[in-house]
Amino acid sequence: MLLANDLLIRTQGAIHVIDERNCIDLLKSVGVGRIGITLDALPIILPVNYIYMNLGPDLDGCILFRTDPGTKLDAAFRHSVVAFEVDQIDYDKEEGWSVLVIGSAEVVDDSILEDRAMTSGLHPWSGGMKTHMVAITPKIVSGRRITH
Amino acid sequence: MLLANDLLIRTQGAIHVIDERNCIDLLKSVGVGRIGITLDALPIILPVNYIYMNLGPDLDGCILFRTDPGTKLDAAFRHSVVAFEVDQIDYDKEEGWSVLVIGSAEVVDDSILEDRAMTSGLHPWSGGMKTHMVAITPKIVSGRRITH
C-alpha cells in the first residue's frame, strides 16, 4: 500500500528530466539567465543577458555575456566553476522548466568571437562600458520540467 | 573627458539600486525564486515556489518553500548559507529587476508555521511528498533595477 500511495503521488504533477540536447535547445531559446558564483565565501546569484553560441562547426557551444569589471568578471578571471540557470515559469498552471549548467567561466580575449557575439545581438542591457565578454563552457548540463 | 564620457555612459540605461524595504515588497510579490547552494563543492541553482512570511508581528520575515529530502534539504539541514534570487525580466524593453537574498536555511519544525504557510497557499507544484518545509532567514538583501 505504501508503494501504491507513493506511485500515486509521484504520478501527480511529476518532475520530468530534460535530456542534454533539449537542454541546449532551451538554452538557445532564452536570452536571460542567472549566474551563481561564490563571492567572499558567500553564494550569490546575478541575472545576465546572454547568448549561447557554438565556437566552431566542430566545437561545443558556450554561454557568452558582457560585463563590467566586478564580481562576475572577478569570478571569470579566476576561471571559477560557476552555475548558470535558465527557466520559464507558468504561474497560473504551476508548471515550468529549468536548465542548470555547471561550467568554467573565463574572459574571452578573441575579437572575432566578440564580433560574432555582438553581430548576434549580445549587448549590455544596462548600458555602461561592459568592456569584457565572459564565456561559460558547460561541463554538466541538466534540466527538469514540471507538467500536470 | 574620460570622466565626462564615463558619466555619459552611466546615465544611459542605468542600473538603479532597490532599497531593502522595496526588495522585501518585491519578494512578497513573486512566488517562484531560485536558491543557490554549493553541492559537492559545485555551485548549483534550483528554482522553487515559495512564500515570504513574517514569523510574527514583531519578527522579520523569511522565505518558505517545501521540499523532498534532497539537495535543497541537505543544504538546509546543514544550516547552510544560501543565495535566493527573484527577478522579473521584460525581454522586449530589455528592462527588469532582481532581488538577491543571502541568508541561512534551516528546516522548519513548527506545525503552526507550517499550517500558516499551507493556508497561505504554499504547496509543491511538482506533487510528490515534499514533506519538509525550509525557511531562509535573510541576512543580506539587495536589489537592482534596469530601466531605460
Side-chain angles (χ1 to χ4, degrees):
Chain A
M1 286 306 294
L2 263 177
L3 177 61
N5 289 337
D6 189 49
L7 287 172
L8 178 64
I9 290 163
R10 290 184 186 285
T11 51
Q12 296 170 342
I15 295 181
H16 307 279
V17 172
I18 305 172
D19 64 39
E20 181 165 341
R21 182 171 181 174
N22 283 313
C23 285
I24 298 298
D25 289 340
L26 289 169
L27 273 174
K28 293 176 179 173
S29 74
V30 181
V32 174
R34 298 145 199 104
I35 184 169
I37 60 175
T38 299
L39 182 69
D40 300 333
L42 292 176
I44 66 170
I45 300 173
L46 298 170
V48 294
N49 65 298
Y50 76 97
I51 61 170
Y52 183 91
M53 179 176 282
N54 286 79
L55 300 185
D58 304 325
L59 295 174
D60 291 335
C62 67
I63 294 150
L64 296 170
F65 62 94
R66 301 194 69 83
T67 183
D68 282 320
T71 59
K72 285 172 283 187
L73 189 61
D74 290 343
F77 272 134
R78 287 194 299 271
H79 294 269
S80 299
V81 172
V82 302
F84 189 82
E85 188 262 6
V86 294
D87 60 44
Q88 208 163 68
I89 309 296
D90 184 326
Y91 289 87
D92 298 328
K93 293 183 178 176
E94 298 189 348
E95 296 180 341
W97 60 261
S98 67
V99 169
L100 171 65
V101 172
I102 300 173
S104 57
E106 56 189 325
V107 171
V108 173
D109 188 15
D110 176 341
S111 59
I112 295 172
L113 181 58
E114 284 201 59
D115 291 344
R116 279 181 56 208
M118 290 183 69
T119 305
S120 301
L122 182 62
H123 63 278
W125 286 13
S126 63
M129 318 277 292
K130 296 276 191 287
T131 49
H132 293 87
M133 190 163 77
V134 177
I136 300 172
T137 306
K139 303 297 183 189
I140 302 170
V141 179
S142 63
R144 56 181 196 161
R145 184 188 302 274
I146 294 177
T147 54
H148 300 299
Chain B
M1 286 308 293
L2 264 177
L3 177 60
N5 290 338
D6 189 48
L7 287 172
L8 178 64
I9 288 161
R10 289 184 187 286
T11 52
Q12 296 169 343
I15 295 180
H16 307 279
V17 172
I18 305 172
D19 65 38
E20 181 166 342
R21 182 172 182 174
N22 284 313
C23 285
I24 297 299
D25 289 340
L26 289 169
L27 273 173
K28 292 176 179 173
S29 73
V30 181
V32 175
R34 298 142 198 108
I35 185 169
I37 60 175
T38 300
L39 182 68
D40 300 334
L42 292 176
I44 66 170
I45 300 173
L46 298 169
V48 293
N49 64 298
Y50 75 97
I51 61 170
Y52 184 91
M53 180 176 281
N54 285 79
L55 301 184
D58 304 325
L59 295 174
D60 292 335
C62 67
I63 294 151
L64 296 170
F65 62 92
R66 302 193 68 82
T67 183
D68 282 320
T71 58
K72 286 172 281 186
L73 189 61
D74 290 341
F77 272 134
R78 288 194 298 270
H79 293 269
S80 299
V81 172
V82 302
F84 188 82
E85 188 262 7
V86 293
D87 59 45
Q88 208 163 66
I89 309 296
D90 185 324
Y91 289 86
D92 298 329
K93 294 182 177 177
E94 298 188 347
E95 296 181 341
W97 60 261
S98 66
V99 169
L100 172 64
V101 172
I102 299 172
S104 57
E106 56 189 325
V107 170
V108 173
D109 188 15
D110 176 340
S111 58
I112 295 171
L113 180 59
E114 283 202 61
D115 292 343
R116 279 181 56 208
M118 290 182 71
T119 306
S120 302
L122 182 63
H123 63 277
W125 285 14
S126 62
M129 317 279 289
K130 295 275 191 288
T131 49
H132 293 88
M133 190 164 78
V134 176
I136 300 172
T137 305
K139 304 297 184 189
I140 303 171
V141 179
S142 63
R144 56 182 196 162
R145 184 188 303 272
I146 294 176
T147 54
H148 300 298

